[in-house]
Each structure stands twice: as structure tokens, then as C-alpha cells.
């Protein structure tokens, strides 16, 4: 699985516009093949910071996503409104099954859901 974590900081006068185009981007991306989940949220302590969390089935799916013209246009529009360059970090990861740890920690394991 490929995990993408991104951050963009809005200016006070661009936050609403950045949120609007980000929600459109998330909704469009969720329909793409290989997208397991895609979210955008604001930071509770830094309300001008948008955080993107994406899970993709594999690198090939993410590369296709990056080539979608609407994704490219979104990135350019977001960068134009942001207070500084957006950041993106891409990781290859494997989910860890916590079922075996539940008895030790007392916490119930969380089952991943498709967004």
C-alpha cells in the first residue's frame, strides 16, 4: 500500500477557497481505480493548515492519479493560494494487524474501512 501525507497552509483570505477545491479533489480522487481512501482535514491547533491523507493500492495507481489533468490543475491551484509551497510525502507501507495486540493493551483493534 502507498501512503501519501500532504500539507498546505492557507492564508486567512484563501482558506475557504482552498477547502472548496480540496473537497472537489478528494471526491474526484476517491472514484479513481486503486484509491483506498482520500481525506482532507484542518489541523485543530493550526486551523490554516490543511492535511491530506491518501491510501493507494500501489505505486502504479498513484502515478496514474498524478497524471490526471484535474489532479495536476488542483496542485497548481492549491500552490497558488497557499502561504508557502505545499508539502507531499509518499511512503510504502503495510498495515499491521492489531488483533493479536488487543488482549495486551485492552483496546479493540480498528478495522480499516474504504472511504
Amino acid at each position: 500500500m502507498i501512503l501519501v501525507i500532504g500539507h498546505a497552509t492557507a492564508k486567512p483570505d484563501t482558506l475557504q477557497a482552498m477547502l472548496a477545491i480540496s473537497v472537489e479533489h478528494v471526491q474526484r480522487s476517491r472514484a479513481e481505480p486503486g484509491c483506498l481512501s482520500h481525506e482532507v482535514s484542518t489541523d485543530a491547533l493550526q486551523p490554516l493548515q490543511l492535511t491530506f491523507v491518501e491510501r493507494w493500492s500501489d505505486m502504479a495507481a498513484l502515478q496514474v492519479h498524478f497524471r490526471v489533468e484535474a489532479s495536476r490543475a488542483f496542485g497548481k491551484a492549491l500552490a497558488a493560494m497557499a502561504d508557502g509551497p505545499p508539502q507531499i510525502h509518499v511512503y510504502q507501507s503495510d498495515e499491521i494487524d492489531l488483533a493479536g495486540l488487543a488482549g495486551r493493551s485492552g483496546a479493540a483493534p480498528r478495522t480499516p474501512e474504504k472511504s
Side-chain angles (χ1 to χ4, degrees), residues 58-96:
D58 53 39
M59 194 63 192
L62 180 60
Q63 289 173 331
V64 169
H65 170 68
F66 283 154
R67 288 192 299 267
V68 170
E69 184 54 39
S71 293
R72 297 167 66 91
F74 163 73
K76 289 177 185 176
L78 191 75
M81 289 187 270
D83 187 11
Q87 300 173 7
I88 187 167
H89 305 278
V90 180
Y91 305 93
Q92 182 151 2
S93 64
D94 296 310
E95 187 164 0
I96 298 171

Side-chain angles (χ1 to χ4, degrees), residues 31-114:
E32 292 179 30
C35 182
L36 304 174
S37 66
H38 201 301
E39 295 95 28
V40 61
S41 60
T42 54
D43 187 303
L45 299 177
Q46 299 176 35
L48 294 178
Q49 182 171 295
L50 303 182
T51 299
F52 298 84
V53 178
E54 309 171 27
R55 293 183 310 131
W56 294 87
S57 59
D58 53 39
M59 194 63 192
L62 180 60
Q63 289 173 331
V64 169
H65 170 68
F66 283 154
R67 288 192 299 267
V68 170
E69 184 54 39
S71 293
R72 297 167 66 91
F74 163 73
K76 289 177 185 176
L78 191 75
M81 289 187 270
D83 187 11
Q87 300 173 7
I88 187 167
H89 305 278
V90 180
Y91 305 93
Q92 182 151 2
S93 64
D94 296 310
E95 187 164 0
I96 298 171
D97 182 5
L98 297 178
L101 301 176
R104 289 183 245 157
S105 68
R110 186 171 167 262
T111 305
E113 298 175 13
K114 178 159 173 58

